[in-house]
Amino acid sequence: MHADGRVLGTHHGVIHYTIGQRRGLGIGGLADPLYVVRLDVDSKRVIVGPKDMLSTRTIPVREINWLGDEPFDSRPEWQLSVRVRSTRPPREAIVRPLSATEAEVELLTPEEGVSPGQACVFYAPDGLRVFGGGWIWRGA
């Protein structure tokens, strides 16, 4: 299904697709390339759209394991570096604790292909120390 609501075809199970995927969608022949921008498991839909829909700045993270010297939720925000894609370098971010185990991560530079179920690792701003991490989830 296109992000604008148009049905473009059928698929063989949501499990066979990943956020950011472009090839193997079975919907060739369209004017502009389309990418998987969201997977809706409950309604069994693979949502596709243009590449600019892949960019994310706000990421909900839960099940956080914090290794810092102060309690995670002792500050309203932390200026850290975070890695949400294992093949890309950490990016500057503001991490806002919602509790001792949940946070909202605001990337200063958008990242493409962020998906629920991926890890989000927190680093010191210089990247030399791991402060912890958690799991990206769908959010509210």
Side-chain angles (χ1 to χ4, degrees):
M1 175 174 273
H2 194 283
D4 66 10
R6 290 179 286 152
V7 175
L8 301 175
T10 60
H11 61 80
H12 300 288
V14 174
I15 194 168
H16 299 288
Y17 301 89
T18 60
I19 304 294
Q21 180 177 339
R22 178 173 170 222
R23 298 178 190 264
L25 300 179
I27 52 173
L30 300 171
D32 296 318
L34 295 175
Y35 299 80
V36 175
V37 297
R38 189 167 51 101
L39 297 171
D40 187 340
V41 177
D42 296 333
S43 67
K44 300 178 183 170
R45 291 185 177 154
V46 177
I47 313 300
V48 298
K51 188 173 184 174
D52 63 349
M53 289 186 74
L54 289 172
S55 293
T56 301
R57 287 193 55 163
T58 304
I59 305 168
V61 180
R62 65 181 176 183
E63 297 180 41
I64 292 171
N65 182 21
W66 182 250
L67 305 171
D69 298 329
E70 302 172 47
F72 179 60
D73 55 356
S74 66
R75 297 184 189 182
E77 63 184 37
W78 296 84
Q79 299 222 346
L80 301 171
S81 292
V82 300
R83 183 185 302 238
V84 293
R85 303 287 301 208
S86 63
T87 58
R88 297 191 187 144
R91 297 186 180 263
E92 291 181 40
I94 298 169
V95 179
R96 295 183 181 93
L98 302 174
S99 73
T101 60
E102 292 188 5
E104 178 183 89
V105 175
E106 180 184 345
L107 301 172
L108 301 187
T109 304
E111 179 78 60
E112 291 179 357
V114 176
S115 181
Q118 293 175 322
C120 179
V121 181
F122 307 144
Y123 297 88
D126 61 11
L128 298 178
R129 179 179 174 193
V130 174
F131 275 96
W135 300 104
I136 298 168
W137 66 296
R138 235 187 297 197

